[in-house]
Amino acid sequence: MAVQRTLVLLKPDAVQRGLVGTILARFEHKGLKLVAMKLRSFPASTFERHYEPHKAKPFYPGLVKYMSSSPVVALALEGVDAIEVVRGMMGATNSRKAAPGTIRGDLGMSFSNNLVHGSDGPESAASELANFFGDCAEVCNWTPISTPWIYNVAEELA
Ligand code: UDP
Ligand code: MG
């Protein structure tokens, strides 16, 4: 159990379909803390770096093209076990197979245009956050007044 930060991307289909507010609200309502957010048409080079681990895969060129075709919202979210919590909320990669109740399962029908990205581990979270938010100056350190109601502070944030 550790306080983590994770990178979330609301992909071009989420922005084009007007689902930014809906998806962001799910993370807020869950109790994850928003610590950085930007909407931008990022250059292909940003996604080439972001998807570097998939470089050898056949879907890589199309993936980079899709991600750089239209604006994306980048979020940094913080919370206890935030990486795993966000991954669970996203659902399976193929939206058609993603469980109901997940973002992909409730809002999407596509394998590739699957609305949302979330870091899959502490190392990828660190490098992905650096890719989208540079140094820590773009990330806000703040304490929501709701924190002691979201967590048992003595047990979970000690
Ligand atoms: N993707 C794709 N075809 C595939 C596998 C993946 O288009 O056969 C895309 C899809 O948008 C996915 C992204 O590449 O979200 C990264 O793949 P990964 O396996 O890391 O899935 P994720 O972690 O996003 O669930
Ligand atoms: Mg992944």
Side-chain angles (χ1 to χ4, degrees):
M1 204 165 56
V3 176
Q4 298 175 325
R5 283 179 175 171
T6 186
L7 178 83
V8 168
L9 298 177
L10 308 184
K11 295 182 175 185
D13 47 319
V15 178
Q16 289 284 352
R17 291 177 57 200
L19 292 172
V20 170
T22 297
I23 298 172
L24 181 57
R26 285 186 176 228
F27 293 124
E28 284 191 304
H29 293 166
K30 176 68 175 163
L32 288 157
K33 175 165 62 159
L34 182 62
V35 291
M37 176 161 79
K38 63 170 79 161
L39 167 80
R40 196 152 303 171
S41 292
F42 295 95
S45 56
T46 301
F47 297 108
E48 284 163 5
R49 277 193 301 279
H50 177 71
Y51 285 119
E52 171 81 33
H54 292 304
K55 199 166 183 166
K57 312 258 176 68
F59 59 84
Y60 176 83
L63 178 59
V64 170
K65 197 170 172 193
Y66 148 63
M67 292 297 291
S68 53
S69 67
S70 186
V72 161
V73 175
L75 311 172
L77 298 178
E78 185 185 295
V80 173
D81 299 334
I83 295 170
E84 188 185 344
V85 168
V86 166
R87 293 287 300 182
M89 291 176 72
M90 287 162 51
T93 307
N94 183 346
S95 305
R96 291 189 293 277
K97 300 208 166 133
T102 64
I103 292 164
R104 288 164 171 170
D106 286 351
L107 302 174
M109 279 295 286
S110 170
F111 194 145
S112 52
N113 294 16
N114 56 9
L115 299 162
V116 68
H117 165 86
S119 308
D120 64 8
E123 293 79 22
S124 59
S127 63
E128 290 173 8
L129 285 165
N131 190 29
F132 283 89
F133 292 107
D135 57 37
C136 297
E138 288 192 88
V139 178
C140 296
N141 294 304
W142 64 294
T143 305
I145 56 167
S146 55
T147 298
W149 300 101
I150 291 170
Y151 294 102
N152 179 324
V153 175
E155 289 178 7
E156 293 161 321
L157 295 179

mmCIF file of all heavy atoms in Angstrom, residues 73-115:
data_model
loop_
_atom_site.group_PDB
_atom_site.id
_atom_site.type_symbol
_atom_site.label_atom_id
_atom_site.label_comp_id
_atom_site.label_asym_id
_atom_site.label_seq_id
_atom_site.Cartn_x
_atom_site.Cartn_y
_atom_site.Cartn_z
ATOM 1 N N VAL A 73 -6.198 14.544 -23.679
ATOM 2 C CA VAL A 73 -6.066 15.120 -22.334
ATOM 3 C C VAL A 73 -5.147 14.228 -21.519
ATOM 4 O O VAL A 73 -5.382 13.019 -21.415
ATOM 5 C CB VAL A 73 -7.433 15.256 -21.627
ATOM 6 C CG1 VAL A 73 -7.255 15.745 -20.193
ATOM 7 C CG2 VAL A 73 -8.346 16.205 -22.399
ATOM 8 N N ALA A 74 -4.096 14.832 -20.978
ATOM 9 C CA ALA A 74 -3.172 14.098 -20.097
ATOM 10 C C ALA A 74 -3.490 14.487 -18.656
ATOM 11 O O ALA A 74 -3.656 15.664 -18.339
ATOM 12 C CB ALA A 74 -1.732 14.444 -20.436
ATOM 13 N N LEU A 75 -3.592 13.475 -17.808
ATOM 14 C CA LEU A 75 -3.876 13.686 -16.385
ATOM 15 C C LEU A 75 -2.804 13.001 -15.563
ATOM 16 O O LEU A 75 -2.324 11.928 -15.929
ATOM 17 C CB LEU A 75 -5.208 13.028 -15.982
ATOM 18 C CG LEU A 75 -6.466 13.267 -16.800
ATOM 19 C CD1 LEU A 75 -7.577 12.328 -16.285
ATOM 20 C CD2 LEU A 75 -6.904 14.719 -16.667
ATOM 21 N N ALA A 76 -2.463 13.612 -14.447
ATOM 22 C CA ALA A 76 -1.703 12.892 -13.422
ATOM 23 C C ALA A 76 -2.640 12.727 -12.234
ATOM 24 O O ALA A 76 -3.229 13.701 -11.754
ATOM 25 C CB ALA A 76 -0.458 13.677 -13.024
ATOM 26 N N LEU A 77 -2.836 11.479 -11.819
ATOM 27 C CA LEU A 77 -3.732 11.167 -10.705
ATOM 28 C C LEU A 77 -2.929 10.563 -9.567
ATOM 29 O O LEU A 77 -1.970 9.809 -9.802
ATOM 30 C CB LEU A 77 -4.822 10.181 -11.152
ATOM 31 C CG LEU A 77 -5.772 10.660 -12.258
ATOM 32 C CD1 LEU A 77 -6.753 9.550 -12.627
ATOM 33 C CD2 LEU A 77 -6.525 11.905 -11.818
ATOM 34 N N GLU A 78 -3.333 10.881 -8.360
ATOM 35 C CA GLU A 78 -2.606 10.410 -7.169
ATOM 36 C C GLU A 78 -3.551 9.726 -6.210
ATOM 37 O O GLU A 78 -4.712 10.144 -6.071
ATOM 38 C CB GLU A 78 -1.952 11.625 -6.485
ATOM 39 C CG GLU A 78 -1.068 11.268 -5.304
ATOM 40 C CD GLU A 78 -0.547 12.523 -4.612
ATOM 41 O OE1 GLU A 78 0.224 13.285 -5.237
ATOM 42 O OE2 GLU A 78 -0.929 12.743 -3.450
ATOM 43 N N GLY A 79 -3.064 8.691 -5.563
ATOM 44 C CA GLY A 79 -3.846 8.012 -4.532
ATOM 45 C C GLY A 79 -3.124 6.768 -4.065
ATOM 46 O O GLY A 79 -2.112 6.363 -4.645
ATOM 47 N N VAL A 80 -3.655 6.143 -3.029
ATOM 48 C CA VAL A 80 -3.089 4.884 -2.548
ATOM 49 C C VAL A 80 -3.332 3.822 -3.619
ATOM 50 O O VAL A 80 -4.464 3.634 -4.071
ATOM 51 C CB VAL A 80 -3.725 4.479 -1.196
ATOM 52 C CG1 VAL A 80 -3.254 3.096 -0.780
ATOM 53 C CG2 VAL A 80 -3.394 5.506 -0.122
ATOM 54 N N ASP A 81 -2.259 3.170 -4.039
ATOM 55 C CA ASP A 81 -2.334 2.141 -5.089
ATOM 56 C C ASP A 81 -2.994 2.666 -6.362
ATOM 57 O O ASP A 81 -3.715 1.936 -7.065
ATOM 58 C CB ASP A 81 -3.093 0.891 -4.589
ATOM 59 C CG ASP A 81 -2.415 0.236 -3.400
ATOM 60 O OD1 ASP A 81 -1.188 0.390 -3.253
ATOM 61 O OD2 ASP A 81 -3.111 -0.435 -2.618
ATOM 62 N N ALA A 82 -2.747 3.921 -6.692
ATOM 63 C CA ALA A 82 -3.435 4.575 -7.816
ATOM 64 C C ALA A 82 -3.235 3.839 -9.141
ATOM 65 O O ALA A 82 -4.145 3.816 -9.975
ATOM 66 C CB ALA A 82 -2.967 6.024 -7.935
ATOM 67 N N ILE A 83 -2.069 3.250 -9.352
ATOM 68 C CA ILE A 83 -1.802 2.598 -10.640
ATOM 69 C C ILE A 83 -2.771 1.434 -10.861
ATOM 70 O O ILE A 83 -3.430 1.354 -11.904
ATOM 71 C CB ILE A 83 -0.324 2.130 -10.706
ATOM 72 C CG1 ILE A 83 0.608 3.356 -10.681
ATOM 73 C CG2 ILE A 83 -0.075 1.252 -11.932
ATOM 74 C CD1 ILE A 83 2.084 3.020 -10.492
ATOM 75 N N GLU A 84 -2.871 0.577 -9.861
ATOM 76 C CA GLU A 84 -3.754 -0.589 -9.967
ATOM 77 C C GLU A 84 -5.230 -0.168 -9.975
ATOM 78 O O GLU A 84 -6.050 -0.740 -10.703
ATOM 79 C CB GLU A 84 -3.472 -1.525 -8.783
ATOM 80 C CG GLU A 84 -4.173 -2.851 -8.866
ATOM 81 C CD GLU A 84 -3.970 -3.695 -7.609
ATOM 82 O OE1 GLU A 84 -3.055 -3.404 -6.807
ATOM 83 O OE2 GLU A 84 -4.753 -4.640 -7.437
ATOM 84 N N VAL A 85 -5.561 0.826 -9.174
ATOM 85 C CA VAL A 85 -6.957 1.296 -9.119
ATOM 86 C C VAL A 85 -7.399 1.805 -10.492
ATOM 87 O O VAL A 85 -8.469 1.447 -11.001
ATOM 88 C CB VAL A 85 -7.113 2.396 -8.032
ATOM 89 C CG1 VAL A 85 -8.464 3.094 -8.154
ATOM 90 C CG2 VAL A 85 -6.957 1.787 -6.635
ATOM 91 N N VAL A 86 -6.544 2.621 -11.132
ATOM 92 C CA VAL A 86 -6.898 3.167 -12.450
ATOM 93 C C VAL A 86 -6.986 2.046 -13.480
ATOM 94 O O VAL A 86 -7.929 2.025 -14.297
ATOM 95 C CB VAL A 86 -5.878 4.251 -12.876
ATOM 96 C CG1 VAL A 86 -6.026 4.584 -14.361
ATOM 97 C CG2 VAL A 86 -6.057 5.503 -12.032
ATOM 98 N N ARG A 87 -6.036 1.113 -13.460
ATOM 99 C CA ARG A 87 -6.079 0.005 -14.427
ATOM 100 C C ARG A 87 -7.399 -0.772 -14.305
ATOM 101 O O ARG A 87 -8.004 -1.154 -15.301
ATOM 102 C CB ARG A 87 -4.888 -0.948 -14.222
ATOM 103 C CG ARG A 87 -3.530 -0.349 -14.538
ATOM 104 C CD ARG A 87 -3.255 -0.151 -15.994
ATOM 105 N NE ARG A 87 -3.284 -1.384 -16.760
ATOM 106 C CZ ARG A 87 -3.023 -1.440 -18.072
ATOM 107 N NH1 ARG A 87 -2.743 -0.327 -18.753
ATOM 108 N NH2 ARG A 87 -3.060 -2.575 -18.718
ATOM 109 N N GLY A 88 -7.824 -1.001 -13.079
ATOM 110 C CA GLY A 88 -9.085 -1.704 -12.864
ATOM 111 C C GLY A 88 -10.273 -0.920 -13.404
ATOM 112 O O GLY A 88 -11.190 -1.488 -14.005
ATOM 113 N N MET A 89 -10.246 0.390 -13.194
ATOM 114 C CA MET A 89 -11.350 1.231 -13.672
ATOM 115 C C MET A 89 -11.410 1.286 -15.194
ATOM 116 O O MET A 89 -12.488 1.464 -15.777
ATOM 117 C CB MET A 89 -11.212 2.655 -13.119
ATOM 118 C CG MET A 89 -11.443 2.753 -11.621
ATOM 119 S SD MET A 89 -11.153 4.431 -11.026
ATOM 120 C CE MET A 89 -12.589 5.278 -11.690
ATOM 121 N N MET A 90 -10.244 1.164 -15.860
ATOM 122 C CA MET A 90 -10.201 1.225 -17.334
ATOM 123 C C MET A 90 -10.872 0.024 -17.974
ATOM 124 O O MET A 90 -11.563 0.147 -18.980
ATOM 125 C CB MET A 90 -8.739 1.252 -17.812
ATOM 126 C CG MET A 90 -8.027 2.563 -17.577
ATOM 127 S SD MET A 90 -6.218 2.384 -17.673
ATOM 128 C CE MET A 90 -5.991 1.542 -19.220
ATOM 129 N N GLY A 91 -10.621 -1.163 -17.452
ATOM 130 C CA GLY A 91 -11.120 -2.396 -18.066
ATOM 131 C C GLY A 91 -10.169 -2.951 -19.111
ATOM 132 O O GLY A 91 -9.133 -2.346 -19.407
ATOM 133 N N ALA A 92 -10.529 -4.085 -19.670
ATOM 134 C CA ALA A 92 -9.676 -4.783 -20.637
ATOM 135 C C ALA A 92 -9.424 -3.918 -21.870
ATOM 136 O O ALA A 92 -10.254 -3.069 -22.231
ATOM 137 C CB ALA A 92 -10.336 -6.096 -21.044
ATOM 138 N N THR A 93 -8.291 -4.175 -22.521
ATOM 139 C CA THR A 93 -7.884 -3.366 -23.677
ATOM 140 C C THR A 93 -8.959 -3.351 -24.760
ATOM 141 O O THR A 93 -9.254 -2.297 -25.341
ATOM 142 C CB THR A 93 -6.556 -3.912 -24.250
ATOM 143 O OG1 THR A 93 -5.605 -3.986 -23.188
ATOM 144 C CG2 THR A 93 -6.021 -3.008 -25.345
ATOM 145 N N ASN A 94 -9.508 -4.514 -25.053
ATOM 146 C CA ASN A 94 -10.584 -4.598 -26.049
ATOM 147 C C ASN A 94 -11.898 -4.149 -25.402
ATOM 148 O O ASN A 94 -12.467 -4.868 -24.573
ATOM 149 C CB ASN A 94 -10.686 -6.037 -26.571
ATOM 150 C CG ASN A 94 -11.738 -6.191 -27.657
ATOM 151 O OD1 ASN A 94 -12.581 -5.308 -27.859
ATOM 152 N ND2 ASN A 94 -11.698 -7.303 -28.358
ATOM 153 N N SER A 95 -12.380 -2.985 -25.777
ATOM 154 C CA SER A 95 -13.581 -2.429 -25.137
ATOM 155 C C SER A 95 -14.784 -3.360 -25.254
ATOM 156 O O SER A 95 -15.660 -3.359 -24.385
ATOM 157 C CB SER A 95 -13.933 -1.077 -25.758
ATOM 158 O OG SER A 95 -12.843 -0.196 -25.702
ATOM 159 N N ARG A 96 -14.828 -4.160 -26.309
ATOM 160 C CA ARG A 96 -15.981 -5.071 -26.484
ATOM 161 C C ARG A 96 -15.970 -6.168 -25.428
ATOM 162 O O ARG A 96 -17.005 -6.750 -25.118
ATOM 163 C CB ARG A 96 -15.970 -5.686 -27.888
ATOM 164 C CG ARG A 96 -16.255 -4.695 -29.009
ATOM 165 C CD ARG A 96 -16.444 -5.381 -30.354
ATOM 166 N NE ARG A 96 -15.247 -6.014 -30.863
ATOM 167 C CZ ARG A 96 -14.265 -5.384 -31.532
ATOM 168 N NH1 ARG A 96 -14.358 -4.086 -31.766
ATOM 169 N NH2 ARG A 96 -13.214 -6.037 -31.962
ATOM 170 N N LYS A 97 -14.764 -6.456 -24.890
ATOM 171 C CA LYS A 97 -14.651 -7.513 -23.882
ATOM 172 C C LYS A 97 -14.502 -6.951 -22.474
ATOM 173 O O LYS A 97 -14.483 -7.710 -21.498
ATOM 174 C CB LYS A 97 -13.456 -8.399 -24.209
ATOM 175 C CG LYS A 97 -13.580 -9.074 -25.571
ATOM 176 C CD LYS A 97 -12.845 -10.398 -25.631
ATOM 177 C CE LYS A 97 -13.292 -11.166 -26.861
ATOM 178 N NZ LYS A 97 -12.186 -11.716 -27.622
ATOM 179 N N ALA A 98 -14.360 -5.642 -22.365
ATOM 180 C CA ALA A 98 -14.171 -5.025 -21.047
ATOM 181 C C ALA A 98 -15.446 -5.166 -20.224
ATOM 182 O O ALA A 98 -16.555 -5.057 -20.748
ATOM 183 C CB ALA A 98 -13.796 -3.558 -21.222
ATOM 184 N N ALA A 99 -15.278 -5.429 -18.952
ATOM 185 C CA ALA A 99 -16.425 -5.691 -18.079
ATOM 186 C C ALA A 99 -17.298 -4.447 -17.932
ATOM 187 O O ALA A 99 -16.791 -3.326 -17.863
ATOM 188 C CB ALA A 99 -15.926 -6.128 -16.705
ATOM 189 N N PRO A 100 -18.621 -4.665 -17.877
ATOM 190 C CA PRO A 100 -19.518 -3.556 -17.537
ATOM 191 C C PRO A 100 -19.088 -2.960 -16.193
ATOM 192 O O PRO A 100 -18.639 -3.677 -15.313
ATOM 193 C CB PRO A 100 -20.895 -4.232 -17.425
ATOM 194 C CG PRO A 100 -20.782 -5.477 -18.224
ATOM 195 C CD PRO A 100 -19.351 -5.914 -18.100
ATOM 196 N N GLY A 101 -19.210 -1.649 -16.095
ATOM 197 C CA GLY A 101 -18.754 -0.985 -14.872
ATOM 198 C C GLY A 101 -17.394 -0.341 -15.047
ATOM 199 O O GLY A 101 -17.023 0.536 -14.282
ATOM 200 N N THR A 102 -16.640 -0.814 -16.065
ATOM 201 C CA THR A 102 -15.367 -0.171 -16.375
ATOM 202 C C THR A 102 -15.586 0.925 -17.431
ATOM 203 O O THR A 102 -16.629 0.948 -18.105
ATOM 204 C CB THR A 102 -14.331 -1.189 -16.901
ATOM 205 O OG1 THR A 102 -14.796 -1.731 -18.146
ATOM 206 C CG2 THR A 102 -14.123 -2.329 -15.909
ATOM 207 N N ILE A 103 -14.603 1.789 -17.564
ATOM 208 C CA ILE A 103 -14.732 2.896 -18.523
ATOM 209 C C ILE A 103 -14.880 2.346 -19.937
ATOM 210 O O ILE A 103 -15.791 2.720 -20.680
ATOM 211 C CB ILE A 103 -13.516 3.840 -18.399
ATOM 212 C CG1 ILE A 103 -13.554 4.557 -17.047
ATOM 213 C CG2 ILE A 103 -13.475 4.846 -19.551
ATOM 214 C CD1 ILE A 103 -12.253 5.215 -16.636
ATOM 215 N N ARG A 104 -13.987 1.443 -20.315
ATOM 216 C CA ARG A 104 -14.058 0.878 -21.668
ATOM 217 C C ARG A 104 -15.313 0.019 -21.819
ATOM 218 O O ARG A 104 -15.974 0.029 -22.869
ATOM 219 C CB ARG A 104 -12.797 0.060 -21.959
ATOM 220 C CG ARG A 104 -11.552 0.938 -22.161
ATOM 221 C CD ARG A 104 -10.289 0.111 -22.061
ATOM 222 N NE ARG A 104 -9.088 0.855 -22.443
ATOM 223 C CZ ARG A 104 -7.849 0.413 -22.250
ATOM 224 N NH1 ARG A 104 -7.649 -0.775 -21.674
ATOM 225 N NH2 ARG A 104 -6.814 1.133 -22.617
ATOM 226 N N GLY A 105 -15.648 -0.737 -20.792
ATOM 227 C CA GLY A 105 -16.813 -1.621 -20.852
ATOM 228 C C GLY A 105 -18.119 -0.849 -20.959
ATOM 229 O O GLY A 105 -19.067 -1.307 -21.593
ATOM 230 N N ASP A 106 -18.168 0.313 -20.372
ATOM 231 C CA ASP A 106 -19.417 1.095 -20.388
ATOM 232 C C ASP A 106 -19.510 2.047 -21.571
ATOM 233 O O ASP A 106 -20.611 2.388 -22.001
ATOM 234 C CB ASP A 106 -19.538 1.938 -19.110
ATOM 235 C CG ASP A 106 -19.898 1.105 -17.893
ATOM 236 O OD1 ASP A 106 -20.223 -0.086 -18.059
ATOM 237 O OD2 ASP A 106 -19.859 1.662 -16.777
ATOM 238 N N LEU A 107 -18.351 2.502 -22.083
ATOM 239 C CA LEU A 107 -18.392 3.638 -23.019
ATOM 240 C C LEU A 107 -17.854 3.346 -24.412
ATOM 241 O O LEU A 107 -17.940 4.209 -25.287
ATOM 242 C CB LEU A 107 -17.615 4.827 -22.422
ATOM 243 C CG LEU A 107 -18.097 5.328 -21.055
ATOM 244 C CD1 LEU A 107 -17.154 6.401 -20.521
ATOM 245 C CD2 LEU A 107 -19.518 5.877 -21.153
ATOM 246 N N GLY A 108 -17.275 2.162 -24.631
ATOM 247 C CA GLY A 108 -16.629 1.937 -25.912
ATOM 248 C C GLY A 108 -16.961 0.614 -26.567
ATOM 249 O O GLY A 108 -17.516 -0.295 -25.950
ATOM 250 N N MET A 109 -16.619 0.520 -27.851
ATOM 251 C CA MET A 109 -16.866 -0.684 -28.657
ATOM 252 C C MET A 109 -15.614 -1.146 -29.397
ATOM 253 O O MET A 109 -15.649 -2.150 -30.091
ATOM 254 C CB MET A 109 -17.957 -0.391 -29.696
ATOM 255 C CG MET A 109 -19.372 -0.473 -29.133
ATOM 256 S SD MET A 109 -19.781 -2.145 -28.593
ATOM 257 C CE MET A 109 -20.006 -2.959 -30.178
ATOM 258 N N SER A 110 -14.501 -0.406 -29.267
ATOM 259 C CA SER A 110 -13.337 -0.673 -30.111
ATOM 260 C C SER A 110 -12.167 -1.268 -29.319
ATOM 261 O O SER A 110 -12.005 -1.004 -28.121
ATOM 262 C CB SER A 110 -12.902 0.647 -30.767
ATOM 263 O OG SER A 110 -11.667 0.505 -31.403
ATOM 264 N N PHE A 111 -11.343 -2.022 -30.010
ATOM 265 C CA PHE A 111 -10.098 -2.543 -29.430
ATOM 266 C C PHE A 111 -9.055 -1.427 -29.386
ATOM 267 O O PHE A 111 -8.451 -1.173 -28.341
ATOM 268 C CB PHE A 111 -9.603 -3.706 -30.290
ATOM 269 C CG PHE A 111 -8.532 -4.566 -29.655
ATOM 270 C CD1 PHE A 111 -8.520 -5.933 -29.901
ATOM 271 C CD2 PHE A 111 -7.553 -4.032 -28.836
ATOM 272 C CE1 PHE A 111 -7.542 -6.748 -29.326
ATOM 273 C CE2 PHE A 111 -6.573 -4.844 -28.259
ATOM 274 C CZ PHE A 111 -6.572 -6.208 -28.516
ATOM 275 N N SER A 112 -8.862 -0.759 -30.529
ATOM 276 C CA SER A 112 -7.775 0.234 -30.610
ATOM 277 C C SER A 112 -8.212 1.597 -30.093
ATOM 278 O O SER A 112 -7.474 2.269 -29.364
ATOM 279 C CB SER A 112 -7.257 0.328 -32.036
ATOM 280 O OG SER A 112 -8.325 0.547 -32.926
ATOM 281 N N ASN A 113 -9.421 2.027 -30.460
ATOM 282 C CA ASN A 113 -9.930 3.326 -29.984
ATOM 283 C C ASN A 113 -10.641 3.076 -28.653
ATOM 284 O O ASN A 113 -11.869 3.013 -28.591
ATOM 285 C CB ASN A 113 -10.903 3.924 -31.006
ATOM 286 C CG ASN A 113 -10.232 4.305 -32.309
ATOM 287 O OD1 ASN A 113 -9.114 3.880 -32.587
ATOM 288 N ND2 ASN A 113 -10.895 5.103 -33.102
ATOM 289 N N ASN A 114 -9.825 2.933 -27.622
ATOM 290 C CA ASN A 114 -10.384 2.451 -26.358
ATOM 291 C C ASN A 114 -10.355 3.502 -25.251
ATOM 292 O O ASN A 114 -10.264 3.176 -24.063
ATOM 293 C CB ASN A 114 -9.698 1.146 -25.943
ATOM 294 C CG ASN A 114 -8.202 1.304 -25.855
ATOM 295 O OD1 ASN A 114 -7.679 2.411 -25.943
ATOM 296 N ND2 ASN A 114 -7.499 0.204 -25.656
ATOM 297 N N LEU A 115 -10.423 4.765 -25.638
ATOM 298 C CA LEU A 115 -10.772 5.890 -24.762
ATOM 299 C C LEU A 115 -9.716 6.357 -23.773
ATOM 300 O O LEU A 115 -9.612 7.546 -23.503
ATOM 301 C CB LEU A 115 -12.054 5.588 -23.964
ATOM 302 C CG LEU A 115 -13.306 5.345 -24.799
ATOM 303 C CD1 LEU A 115 -14.372 4.632 -23.974
ATOM 304 C CD2 LEU A 115 -13.848 6.668 -25.331
#
